[in-house]
Amino acid sequence: MQPLTTEILSATPEGIARAAALLKAGALVAFPTETVYGLGADARDGRAVAAIYAAKGRPAFNPLIVHVPDTGAAQRYVIWSDTAERLARAFWPGPLTLVLPLREGHGLSSLVTAGLGSLALRVPAHPAARALLQAFGGPVAAPSANRSGRISPTSARHVLAGLEGRIDAVLDDGPCPVGVESTILGLTGAPVLLRPGGLAAEQIEAVLGETLAAPEAAAPITAPGQLVSHYAPAAPVRLNAARAEPGEVLLGFGPGACDLNLSESADLAEAAANLFGHLHRLDALACPIAVAPVPETGLGRAINDRLRRAAAPRGA
Ligand code: TXA
Ligand code: MG
């Protein structure tokens, strides 16, 4: 692949207009969402979508999330349902991705769905993402803007560390406030939690009035978020550590001595926002990483899911 000059754009009207023009021309533009930075391309343009897979080094069988500005735009691509409507009203725009049956004549590149009969859709809440979707006026396919299998980016600097020279531009609007990827809910049958994420499963259960099946119990399809070793730093990771062993650095949670703390006050939203940034910083020290225990409730489920994948044997 030819090295490119990656433009760094700011989230001004000019920067947004330039980013939208690049998307229209079939280019790759990384942009901020409230969860993580996404690597965007026109979801109708097969060549542009293929370039996402090439830039990320992503296995071609992994389907992508399509980002749209509102529920009306989402309904063009999928068979909508009452459950989808209730969840969209409650949580869109926001960190929730819905997987629904594809509609005939959807017009999206088949590379986006990787040949599946369903589509993952999300309406992001981040002002820069919303402005970009408005200016572009079409569906944007966007996985997280990292090299395949590596830690997701929560800043433009993280994006450039992995993808500089491989993508056309990054729209820089500072750190991502949520910090972990969206929660993915499968709605092709009974609702299933396909990936815990930035919206707590408990909040979805409250709206649906039912308990969701655990992601392990679901996972009927091959999703990279489901590959065991995903989101991996280069250094080995050890979980539920009471303290650091000699040579390790400690990623803490709650009060106590450590090298970096996800949240001194044990606040799970703060910990989620810090998770990938802290892993990037500790990874740069090239020492094994020990991680303090994080409770398995609310956003803790998404944090622990990412940490377990970071700690899994490589190549799994
Ligand atoms: O927060 C997020 O969701 C970020 C931002 C950029 O929106 N995006 C993100 O995308 O995390 P990505 O590609 O890293 O993860 C998307 C996940 C993958 O695990 C993929 O397999 C799954 O969504 N997925 C996509 N389409 C699917 C489908 N039709 N059925 C089941 N899973 C699907
Ligand atoms: Mg990803």
Side-chain angles (χ1 to χ4, degrees):
M1 134 180 226
Q2 292 289 335
L4 302 166
T5 304
T6 302
E7 290 179 41
I8 302 172
L9 305 171
S10 52
T12 57
E14 298 74 36
I16 299 281
R18 173 70 184 150
L22 283 167
L23 287 176
K24 283 178 193 165
L28 299 185
V29 179
F31 63 97
T33 80
E34 68 277 27
T35 58
V36 299
Y37 275 71
L39 179 58
D42 185 339
R44 300 159 298 193
D45 179 341
R47 280 183 54 182
V49 177
I52 292 181
Y53 288 104
K56 280 184 65 93
R58 181 176 226 195
F61 52 79
N62 294 333
L64 305 176
I65 296 174
V66 169
H67 299 67
V68 290
D70 52 42
T71 300
Q75 289 170 342
R76 281 190 221 148
Y77 306 108
V78 290
I79 301 169
W80 202 240
S81 66
D82 289 346
T83 308
E85 181 66 25
R86 280 161 67 203
L87 292 167
R89 278 178 193 263
F91 301 119
W92 277 358
L96 173 66
T97 294
L98 298 178
V99 176
L100 288 153
L102 258 179
R103 214 168 122 157
E104 240 179 276
H106 52 76
L108 302 173
S109 159
S110 61
L111 278 177
V112 168
T113 57
L116 295 172
S118 59
L119 178 68
L121 280 165
R122 161 157 144 70
V123 176
H126 194 288
R130 298 185 64 71
L132 178 61
L133 290 170
Q134 289 296 347
F136 173 59
V140 174
S144 49
N146 51 281
R147 297 284 276 273
S148 189
R150 305 311 299 269
I151 306 168
S152 289
T154 52
S155 71
R157 195 168 46 79
H158 296 159
V159 173
L160 291 167
L163 296 174
E164 182 153 32
R166 301 173 72 87
I167 64 174
D168 297 280
V170 57
L171 185 61
D172 183 357
D173 198 20
C176 301
V178 175
V180 290
E181 300 89 339
S182 61
T183 300
I184 304 183
L185 192 70
L187 290 181
T188 52
V192 282
L193 185 65
L194 295 173
R195 177 177 75 182
L199 177 67
E202 291 90 333
Q203 284 186 261
I204 298 173
E205 290 171 338
V207 167
L208 294 181
E210 62 181 286
T211 307
L212 294 169
E216 289 75 15
I221 73 135
T222 315
Q226 258 94 316
L227 295 181
V228 177
S229 170
H230 196 58
Y231 309 108
V237 177
R238 185 169 68 86
L239 301 183
N240 295 315
R243 64 188 67 78
E245 299 296 336
E248 284 182 334
V249 288
L250 182 64
L251 179 59
F253 178 81
C258 58
D259 295 277
L260 273 181
N261 204 323
L262 289 170
S263 169
E264 269 185 49
S265 60
D267 177 79
L268 287 167
E270 184 185 18
N274 284 331
L275 177 67
F276 291 127
H278 282 11
L279 285 174
H280 276 283
R281 282 170 66 188
L282 293 178
D283 200 23
L285 303 175
C287 299
I289 302 169
V291 187
V294 175
E296 185 74 18
T297 54
L299 293 187
R301 280 169 82 171
I303 295 169
N304 282 319
D305 174 76
R306 307 305 186 271
L307 286 171
R308 279 191 292 271
R309 292 174 205 283
R314 302 303 146 77

